[in-house]
Amino acid sequence: MTLERLRSLVQERDAAHPDPLDPEALAAGTALPEATVRTLLDGGEPPADTVNERVRTRIKALADARLQRTGTRMSDLAGDISRQLGVSAFWARQVCSGEKVPSVELLHGLVGFFGVEGGEAFFTAPAPEALNRALLPVLTALRPARSAAGPSADPSVDPLSDPPAGALSRYGDVRGVALRQAHGLPPERWHVLNATLKALLELDDAEGQR
């Protein structure tokens, strides 16, 4: 699992350093409840839910986050969605408040409106899959540091090879892949990636001073 590989990498660098995986930031980037993210990070099982429940709660989480970030009202957000996606402001408000499940067409439009990555699956994927998708760019960005650990490292035996989606093991230097995967991330996802990389850069600085 991506999370296990990340934890292993961080522990190898400095076991005493605080875990850079911030549940609050991950919750914001995935639109999952923070309690669910913490459960997953602890290796537990998330609460059972349906696809409709996932869609409703994640749209509401994104809407609430935007209202808090911009200081606007729900009526303003509903009006923006109404004008951009061609639905009534009343229906948009019900969707954003988590009262109604959007149609497939409206869900597709909300992907673009909120700037989320992964298409409609951002709203419909089970919680473990949603968290795993958010962690993949972080894992990709950290692999070069792991592979450069020393000349004695055997590149044919890499515990980070063959990660989920089977993509990373096909590249010798994945920095370009990491940048391409990170391109176009919404602000919430950039916060996750930036916080994690910042923590690991601090680890490098600490190791260089020893």
Side-chain angles (χ1 to χ4, degrees), residues 40-90:
L40 290 170
L41 292 177
D42 291 339
E45 291 292 329
D49 60 5
T50 66
V51 173
N52 284 348
E53 288 170 341
R54 294 170 203 159
V55 171
R56 288 201 311 270
T57 57
R58 292 177 197 177
I59 291 175
K60 185 178 186 302
L62 291 177
D64 290 346
R66 176 168 293 206
L67 293 177
Q68 182 177 8
R69 185 171 65 250
T70 61
T72 54
R73 300 172 300 177
M74 177 64 81
S75 59
D76 298 322
L77 176 58
D80 289 341
I81 293 175
S82 173
R83 288 186 292 273
Q84 184 168 322
L85 303 184
V87 296
S88 71
F90 177 74

Side-chain angles (χ1 to χ4, degrees), residues 34 81 109 179 189:
E34 186 175 337
I81 293 175
L179 290 174
R189 298 286 291 280

Side-chain angles (χ1 to χ4, degrees), residues 17 45 67 81 104 141 154-155 158 182:
H17 196 279
E45 291 292 329
L67 293 177
I81 293 175
V104 174
D154 181 359
D158 184 357

